[in-house]
Amino acid sequence: MVAVVRQERAVRTRRLILEAAASVFDEHGYEGATIGEVVARAGVTRGAVYFHFASKRELAQGVVDEQFGRDEIPERHCKLQEFVDLGMVVAHLMPRDPVLSAGARLSLGQDVFGDFSGGAAPGWIQRAESVLETAGRRGELLPQVVPAETAWLVTGAWTGVQIQSQKMSGRADLERRIASLYQHVMPSVAVPGVLATLDLAVDRGARVVAELAASRAAEPVADETAGRGAEEAAGIGSA
């Protein structure tokens, strides 16, 4: 029981540190960020930060990697709708989620210190390619579409749109610009019957995020009281 409680505390502490670090990197960039500021925002000790992350670079890499825990989308019968939803959900969340925003800044070289294991792009490309491959098996793609090529090109285009939106409007128009991207691209990807069913609206990301929130709210809530009681009984202090 003690080991389980300690593990749960470690997971929570790590998440807290990553979210604090993301806000610091997002505001100050890699070079301007300090471990001291992360410690202050997370409300943990410096030792707790170094227990989970051996250096500032490792902490930044953790923020980049954490992006992929924030791209959840509901499974759809139409896989091309999932393909669109992935991009639209991230477009909706990025201006609101420091982890996604900081991950983009660190990955894309929008800072002095840019390359973290290739950044986030390879992960996004792989995710998009997997969805497109399934769409192809279901007959949703036009004959000339090669999933790997399309995933690479759309991810690259999405990234470029995000960069320009950040520079020109502070991402205020990101959802509109990304919706326009899909409205232009999908006719060259989807067979006509599937294209006619796709929801490419500007507010698609917001609606999918709301759907996910409603689904989570309907799930049974774990009894955290028992966990806290066990933690107190074990005499476990702050991480």
Side-chain angles (χ1 to χ4, degrees):
M1 176 64 74
V2 171
V4 171
V5 172
R6 285 188 183 279
Q7 184 177 19
E8 290 175 350
R9 284 186 65 84
V11 169
R12 289 197 300 269
T13 300
R14 186 178 189 278
R15 185 180 302 117
L16 188 65
I17 292 168
L18 280 174
E19 290 177 353
S23 68
V24 175
F25 286 128
D26 196 31
E27 291 175 24
H28 303 292
Y30 181 84
E31 294 295 341
T34 66
I35 295 295
E37 181 65 19
V38 174
V39 166
R41 293 199 190 188
V44 299
T45 65
R46 187 176 290 265
V49 173
Y50 283 116
F51 174 80
H52 291 279
F53 303 96
S55 65
K56 185 168 80 166
R57 179 183 175 83
E58 190 173 306
L59 182 56
Q61 182 66 60
V63 171
V64 171
D65 295 342
E66 185 71 8
Q67 293 178 90
F68 300 106
R70 291 168 136 76
D71 61 347
E72 181 185 359
I73 54 171
E75 186 173 352
R76 309 290 183 191
H77 175 70
C78 175
K79 303 310 284 186
L80 282 184
Q81 186 65 65
E82 284 187 32
F83 178 70
V84 171
D85 287 353
L86 177 60
M88 292 304 299
V89 163
V90 176
H92 175 73
L93 292 176
M94 186 166 282
R96 300 165 173 83
D97 186 340
V99 170
L100 286 170
S101 183
R105 179 170 185 170
L106 293 166
S107 297
L108 301 173
Q110 292 167 263
D111 199 21
V112 207
F113 199 89
D115 185 18
F116 290 95
S117 301
W124 294 120
I125 292 170
Q126 184 178 30
R127 174 80 185 275
E129 182 179 348
S130 176
V131 176
L132 287 171
E133 286 175 345
T134 304
R137 290 194 292 271
R138 295 186 179 185
E140 298 177 15
L141 304 181
L142 291 168
Q144 74 273 15
V145 174
V146 178
E149 293 295 320
T150 301
W152 198 102
L153 289 170
V154 172
T155 301
W158 196 107
T159 300
V161 170
Q162 185 276 136
I163 291 172
Q164 292 305 316
S165 175
Q166 168 66 17
K167 289 182 176 180
M168 299 177 71
S169 73
R171 297 199 187 101
D173 65 349
L174 182 58
E175 288 178 89
R176 178 168 66 85
R177 298 297 184 184
I178 294 298
S180 179
L181 170 65
Y182 285 113
Q183 290 160 12
H184 281 78
V185 168
M186 295 314 291
S188 66
V189 174
V191 297
V194 171
L195 179 64
T197 69
L198 294 179
D199 185 344
L200 306 174
V202 174
D203 67 340
R204 176 65 184 177
R207 286 186 281 113
V208 174
V209 169
E211 177 187 346
L212 286 167
S215 177
R216 292 190 195 101
E219 293 175 356
V221 179
D223 185 0
E224 297 182 357
T225 305
R228 287 195 298 270
E231 185 175 311
E232 291 169 1
I236 296 173
S238 300

